[in-house]
Amino acid sequence: MAKAERSGGILETIKTVVYALLIAGVFRTLFFQPFWIPSGSMKDTLLVGDFLFVNKMAYGYSYASCPSLRFPRFGIDIGAEDICGIFDGDNSRLFGSEPERGDVVVFRHPVTGQDYIKRLIGLPGETVQVRGGVLYIDGQEAPQTPAGTFTETYDAQGPMGNRPQCANPGVPLGGVCEKPRFRETLPGGVEHDILNIRTTQLDDTPVYTVPEGHYFFMGDNRDNSTDSRVSPVAGGVGFVPYENLIGRAGRVVLSFGGTSIFKVWDWRFDRFLEPIE
């Protein structure tokens, strides 16, 4: 009798775990997806180690709404297309709504399927160009005004331990890394910060015409961002299809400044629950 009770208890435990995983999977698929900022491409809006939830209800649902399971250490690499690929290809969405210029969006890379987070700059049918580091949309300048200097410690950031790029050369380990900051105003009135590190080839681009059903994204850390200014063939992102949007980022929930979440002394408490502009 005792053996039967133990077997029944184990079975109930397994069922409880399975149900919990199913509920968590449905919640993540339909409502909110956790996202950890791994790189500095969106500084100073988002910092390495920021943790946020992406609102999947913002733009409706497509194949990209299905979660990916990527654990290279264990040889697991299951993308959204592997789970929901049957819905891929028609560039449409269920209960879809259009994103707005200036939204900070998580999307799936058109080629690799990796999750990216960038700011929406160009809408379908518009032209986008950068001239002298200044953004132009349909020939209209997005004006920039000086907004001081963004500073951070020159040290390892995040689990990958990458060090930031600095506008001031020769910064020693533990020194102050500086980047000029500007306030950019997009057509429609959305304002946000951008950073400048140096003059690069991406400060002067061709004119891009955004195809219908696609979007143009850029990082706020303009000289340290892999985005729509470079095609996927050349290692960039290119134009992002509507169906590849995952959701909108609205607020930083937690923020961990060091190389490990367990280093409590590196937590950035001032960024907890901070709205994303």
Side-chain angles (χ1 to χ4, degrees):
M1 185 71 176
K3 184 176 180 179
E5 289 179 353
R6 285 197 299 271
S7 298
I10 294 173
L11 181 60
E12 286 302 315
T13 300
I14 293 174
K15 288 168 60 178
T16 300
V17 171
V18 170
Y19 291 152
L21 290 174
L22 287 173
I23 292 171
V26 170
F27 184 86
R28 180 176 175 181
T29 299
L30 296 181
F31 302 110
F32 297 96
Q33 175 176 317
F35 193 84
W36 190 285
I37 304 300
S39 73
S41 68
M42 281 294 293
K43 291 178 181 176
D44 66 344
T45 303
L46 296 171
L47 305 181
V48 178
D50 281 352
F51 179 80
L52 48 90
F53 283 99
V54 179
N55 180 4
K56 288 191 168 185
M57 297 176 286
Y59 310 131
Y61 305 97
S62 70
Y63 89 95
S65 302
C66 285
S68 296
L69 301 175
R70 302 185 188 277
F71 301 99
R73 180 181 301 179
F74 303 103
I76 299 175
D77 187 6
I78 302 174
E81 64 280 1
D82 298 318
I83 301 174
C84 297
I86 188 174
F87 304 110
D88 184 12
D90 62 356
N91 202 24
S92 63
R93 307 183 71 87
L94 182 65
F95 308 123
S97 59
E98 299 292 331
E100 298 181 0
R101 190 192 325 276
D103 285 358
V104 176
V105 180
V106 173
F107 58 87
R108 300 226 186 270
H109 189 284
V111 175
T112 69
Q114 296 289 330
D115 292 352
Y116 276 60
I117 184 166
K118 306 288 180 185
R119 189 177 298 277
L120 176 55
I121 297 296
L123 302 176
E126 294 182 333
T127 62
V128 179
Q129 185 181 27
V130 180
R131 302 201 303 260
V134 178
L135 174 67
Y136 290 81
I137 300 175
D138 280 344
Q140 177 183 347
E141 178 183 348
Q144 300 176 6
T145 57
T149 302
F150 172 70
T151 62
E152 57 185 335
T153 302
Y154 184 70
D155 204 347
Q157 297 181 347
M160 293 186 293
N162 294 331
R163 295 173 183 173
Q165 297 186 29
C166 310
N168 52 323
V171 181
L173 191 65
V176 178
C177 177
E178 300 179 350
K179 301 178 193 42
R181 177 168 49 202
F182 298 86
R183 193 71 173 171
E184 181 176 79
T185 303
L186 299 173
V190 174
E191 297 183 359
H192 65 103
D193 288 344
I194 61 171
L195 301 181
N196 179 57
I197 302 174
R198 65 183 72 87
T199 300
T200 74
Q201 61 181 3
L202 294 180
D203 287 329
D204 290 280
T205 72
V207 176
Y208 304 99
T209 300
V210 186
E212 289 300 324
H214 292 70
Y215 297 90
F216 193 99
F217 289 91
M218 292 175 65
D220 291 346
N221 192 1
R222 292 285 165 82
D223 299 326
N224 187 27
S225 174
T226 301
D227 52 39
S228 294
R229 290 172 290 178
V230 178
S231 73
V233 176
V237 172
F239 304 119
V240 178
Y242 181 44
E243 66 179 352
N244 281 45
L245 307 185
I246 295 175
R248 184 179 63 233
R251 187 179 298 271
V252 174
V253 179
L254 304 170
S255 186
F256 311 103
T259 56
S260 171
I261 190 176
F262 300 106
K263 295 181 178 180
V264 180
W265 53 90
D266 287 328
W267 289 11
R268 295 181 287 239
F269 291 99
D270 61 320
R271 293 185 62 80
F272 285 25
L273 302 179
E274 181 176 287
I276 297 172
E277 294 185 348

